[in-house]
Amino acid sequence: MLGAYLPILLLVIVAIGFGLVSLVMSSLIGPKKFSVLKMSPYESGCEPVGTGQERFSIKFYLIAMLFILFDIEAVFLYPWAILYKKLGMFGLIEMGIFIVILFVGYIYVWKKGALEWE
Amino acid sequence: METLFFLIVSLVAIISAILVVTCRNPINSALSLILTFFCLATYYVMLDAPFLAAVQVMVYAGAIMVLIVFTIMLLNIRVNASKSQSHKIVLGSVIGFFTLLNTAVIVFKSRVALPNGPLTGDIIKQQGHTELIGREMFTTFLLPFEITSILLLVAIVGAVILAKKKI
């Protein structure tokens, strides 16, 4: 039963392996010539200003929050898609109401300009 | 084979969970938490619940972690090394110990009997876990399902009102 998930396990192993091999090989065979300029953090070619840890704008947070809410909406679509033929018209109307209510939310977000970057 | 796999996943889950609370940098804690979520998803797969595993990865390891990382960046938590936190560690250890003791007593003393419903493990394997969840959700629990969309709508409006400067 778990055999069906073997490809996913292989994918995870290859992904972790690729990262590890890249790091280990570059530290083993890569040249190590350090200078002050080379070790300074890269800021698009300018002189580094301040620390790397800066406070981010709340605008990012709003986008992340909206992403989660519509992500949860998408999760409900998966079991519905599997049962689509069995539920028939009933399921279509049911999901239609669900989507329409959330579409109202989408229009609200759009009209309030929450997707604008001001 | 399956027991060995379970033990390996458990080991990774416990180590990553310990890293979540011991890491000095909150971003590293968040990354360890993602690994813990993936281990939980693996448990769901082993319990024949692939839909829950997919939800675990999509919603928790994907969306909720984005929110946690943005919260860390928003609050700008500095890596503090000097402050003494010993009183917190003592209090946390005491609470943790008694919680563990409580759980251990419940697990070892009581014999948990699974409810004997119509859906046994074999039926779930035969008909498909996602299908069964969907059928219940779209017929028996029709009203709660529709109300969920209103709950999400409230959350959308709340997020916009809280985070937007000029509404």
Side-chain angles (χ1 to χ4, degrees):
Chain A
M1 151 234 126
L2 275 175
Y5 293 93
L6 203 63
I8 297 177
L9 186 68
L10 273 176
L11 184 76
V12 170
I13 290 170
V14 168
I16 293 171
F18 179 75
L20 276 180
V21 167
S22 308
L23 284 174
V24 168
M25 287 309 274
S26 79
S27 77
L28 279 181
I29 57 175
K32 294 178 189 64
K33 288 175 196 155
F34 301 119
S35 68
V36 179
L37 209 58
K38 223 184 205 176
M39 296 306 288
S40 66
Y42 180 72
E43 249 177 52
S44 304
C46 302
E47 292 274 315
V49 180
T51 57
Q53 294 174 325
E54 284 295 320
R55 289 184 72 171
F56 277 66
S57 168
I58 193 142
K59 284 179 279 186
F60 291 102
Y61 193 78
L62 182 61
I63 299 290
M65 194 79 180
L66 294 174
F67 162 63
I68 288 183
L69 293 165
F70 288 110
D71 194 38
I72 292 169
E73 180 194 357
V75 162
F76 282 108
L77 289 172
Y78 285 97
W80 176 72
I82 284 179
L83 284 167
Y84 180 72
K85 278 183 183 154
K86 280 186 192 166
L87 287 167
M89 204 55 182
F90 174 71
L92 194 65
I93 293 167
E94 191 183 358
M95 192 43 99
I97 296 169
F98 183 80
I99 300 266
V100 161
I101 292 172
L102 279 164
F103 193 68
V104 171
Y106 179 65
I107 290 171
Y108 175 81
V109 168
W110 199 348
K111 286 287 163 202
K112 288 290 176 193
L115 299 173
E116 303 284 328
W117 202 259
E118 52 198 28
Chain B
M1 181 63 202
E2 217 160 283
T3 317
L4 181 72
F5 186 68
F6 172 76
L7 287 175
I8 292 169
V9 173
S10 301
L11 190 70
V12 174
I14 290 169
I15 290 172
S16 58
I18 289 172
L19 280 175
V20 173
V21 288
T22 52
C23 275
R24 286 252 179 246
N25 192 337
I27 293 285
N28 291 348
S29 295
L31 290 175
S32 308
L33 195 57
I34 294 177
L35 192 57
T36 317
F37 284 152
F38 269 103
C39 292
L40 291 182
T42 318
Y43 285 148
Y44 285 132
V45 168
M46 291 170 90
L47 289 167
D48 287 315
F51 179 67
L52 281 186
V55 170
Q56 174 80 16
V57 170
M58 263 194 299
V59 175
Y60 279 86
I64 305 256
M65 281 317 295
V66 170
L67 202 65
I68 290 177
V69 168
F70 274 126
T71 310
I72 292 167
M73 297 200 300
L74 206 67
L75 294 174
N76 194 23
I77 306 162
R78 303 247 172 232
V79 183
N80 58 338
S82 57
K83 250 190 211 167
S84 170
Q85 309 247 341
S86 55
H87 61 287
K88 285 183 192 168
I89 292 170
V90 170
L91 188 68
S93 309
V94 169
I95 294 171
F97 174 73
F98 280 109
T99 312
L100 188 69
L101 197 70
N102 190 23
T103 316
V105 166
I106 290 170
V107 167
F108 288 114
K109 274 193 97 178
S110 63
R111 297 189 61 82
V112 182
L114 291 170
N116 288 318
L119 298 175
T120 57
D122 292 325
I123 292 178
I124 290 171
K125 264 182 210 170
Q126 206 178 20
Q127 301 196 7
H129 168 250
T130 317
E131 259 192 87
L132 284 168
I133 283 189
R135 198 176 302 155
E136 286 299 308
M137 192 159 68
F138 296 125
T139 55
T140 319
F141 301 103
L142 177 92
L143 190 64
F145 166 69
E146 297 291 359
I147 288 173
T148 310
S149 68
I150 294 172
L151 191 69
L152 288 172
L153 183 68
V154 171
I156 291 169
V157 175
V160 170
I161 285 175
L162 283 176
K164 195 105 176 73
K165 227 180 243 169
K166 284 184 211 147
I167 300 164

